[in-house]
Amino acid sequence: MVRAPTLEPMTARDSLLAALVATIWGFNFVVIDWGMSDVPPLLFVAIRFTAVLLPAIFFIARPDAPWRSILAVGTFMSLGQFAFLYVAMSAGMPPGLAALVLQAQVVFTIVIAAGVLREIPTAAQAAGVALGVLGLMIVAIGRGGHVPLLALALCLLGALSWGIGNVVARAARVPGGLALTVWSALVVPIPLLALSLMIDGPTAVTAALVGFSWQAAISTLYTAALSSLVGYGIFNSLLARWPSSAVVPWVLLAPVVAMASAWAILDQRPNAAECGGGVLLLVGVLVALRPRRAVQPAPVEEELCVM
């Protein structure tokens, strides 16, 4: 049976780690857009997770979790999320808006975790997430309605897949987030390479591999090493120690970083609605993570039943 955990804010150290992850992931959207120009999106995801796997899988022991949990995390948190995200960006979703829409995963995660794991958010967490979502909506409206509907729908599917993956990772409580990140990536490269060959064709795939640019290589290194290995390694460790509703609101900071980096690198200046929504988003995060009495995190070695 699933035991309802204590819903308390994280320690200062874990909070800083969560903020670091949000920063890495926020910049990640600009890096993906910059490197994907000449590579089919599904192939690009397959290459990214091949870099996550190799050579790390030969040096990192398999996490102490059932194969079904490891493969489920990989299917939803890696394969599903990034296949939908990369295709959405290829279909016309701008980096900053992609970062915003993908944060629907916060709502998906908390709702699913409440139903499956009995992790009912506190009033402050619910209010903070609601403010954050309102801020996201204001920013999205401020960016205008020029985004293709298909790209928007694909990005939302990526957010749903991420939310399911978060709950699976939380339920498994696997000690060692890095090991889970590496081994769960096993499910990604071959299926997405096969899909890319079917959708894009062998000629396009071969041409992309032969002409793999230095921009694509740097993008792959960033997304594989920093975003996946460092980012998801920390994130999965936090999910093993703390309730989902205490961890995932931090990711709402990623769109702020994404918009700031798009402004600095791509000269995409935010308008008044984007600035106002971004401030509301930050307020929502602060409300959701309002300090309360300190408690010790749940022991990592305790196992929960996985769906």
Side-chain angles (χ1 to χ4, degrees):
M1 293 181 61
V2 176
R3 179 176 59 83
T6 304
L7 294 179
E8 294 290 345
M10 296 186 293
T11 63
R13 173 184 174 277
D14 284 352
S15 296
L16 289 173
L17 288 173
L20 173 63
V21 170
T23 302
I24 292 171
W25 285 350
F27 189 61
N28 186 54
F29 291 90
V30 174
V31 175
I32 292 171
D33 185 69
W34 177 67
M36 193 170 54
S37 57
D38 297 322
V39 184
L42 295 179
L43 176 63
F44 207 28
V45 182
I47 293 171
R48 167 181 175 169
F49 282 92
T50 299
V52 170
L53 276 170
L54 302 176
I57 199 168
F58 298 112
F59 301 98
I60 298 175
R62 184 171 74 86
D64 184 16
W67 270 110
R68 66 180 182 274
S69 299
I70 296 171
L71 298 180
V73 170
T75 298
F76 291 106
M77 192 178 285
S78 298
L79 190 152
Q81 177 193 172
F82 290 105
F84 285 125
L85 172 63
Y86 278 50
V87 174
M89 293 180 69
S90 179
M93 179 68 74
L97 189 55
L100 288 167
V101 173
L102 201 64
Q103 298 323 306
Q105 63 88 16
V106 175
V107 178
F108 289 137
T109 300
I110 291 177
V111 170
I112 296 170
V116 176
L117 304 180
R118 305 297 188 266
E119 291 185 355
I120 308 301
T122 64
Q125 289 169 336
V129 170
L131 286 174
V133 170
L134 179 59
L136 293 177
M137 292 174 62
I138 292 174
V139 175
I141 293 171
R143 293 191 65 90
H146 303 295
V147 176
L149 184 59
L150 176 61
L152 178 61
L154 288 168
C155 202
L156 283 172
L157 286 173
L160 175 60
S161 186
W162 186 3
I164 296 172
N166 285 342
V167 175
V168 174
R170 169 62 182 163
R173 283 196 185 179
V174 180
L178 179 59
L180 179 60
T181 301
V182 171
W183 282 84
S184 66
L186 279 168
V187 301
V188 182
I190 293 178
L192 291 189
L193 176 59
L195 277 175
S196 185
L197 287 168
M198 291 173 57
I199 295 171
D200 305 305
T203 302
V205 169
T206 302
L209 292 174
V210 171
F212 204 68
S213 65
W214 65 269
Q215 292 98 325
I218 292 176
S219 177
T220 299
L221 287 174
Y222 182 95
T223 56
L226 286 179
S227 182
S228 288
L229 292 176
V230 175
Y232 276 95
I234 295 173
F235 191 69
N236 288 331
S237 293
L238 294 176
L239 283 174
R241 292 169 55 80
W242 299 100
S244 304
S245 55
V247 179
V248 295
W250 283 99
V251 188
L252 288 170
L253 294 173
V256 178
V257 177
M259 288 189 294
S261 56
W263 184 3
I265 297 173
L266 306 177
D267 198 28
Q268 296 179 356
R269 294 172 178 264
N271 56 34
E274 291 171 322
C275 291
V279 170
L280 187 58
L281 179 62
L282 289 172
V283 171
V285 173
L286 292 175
V287 170
L289 303 170
R290 185 178 60 184
R292 294 168 61 185
R293 64 182 180 86
V295 297
Q296 293 299 316
V300 174
E301 56 270 15
E302 286 188 14
E303 288 291 330
L304 292 180
C305 296
V306 182
M307 298 82 73

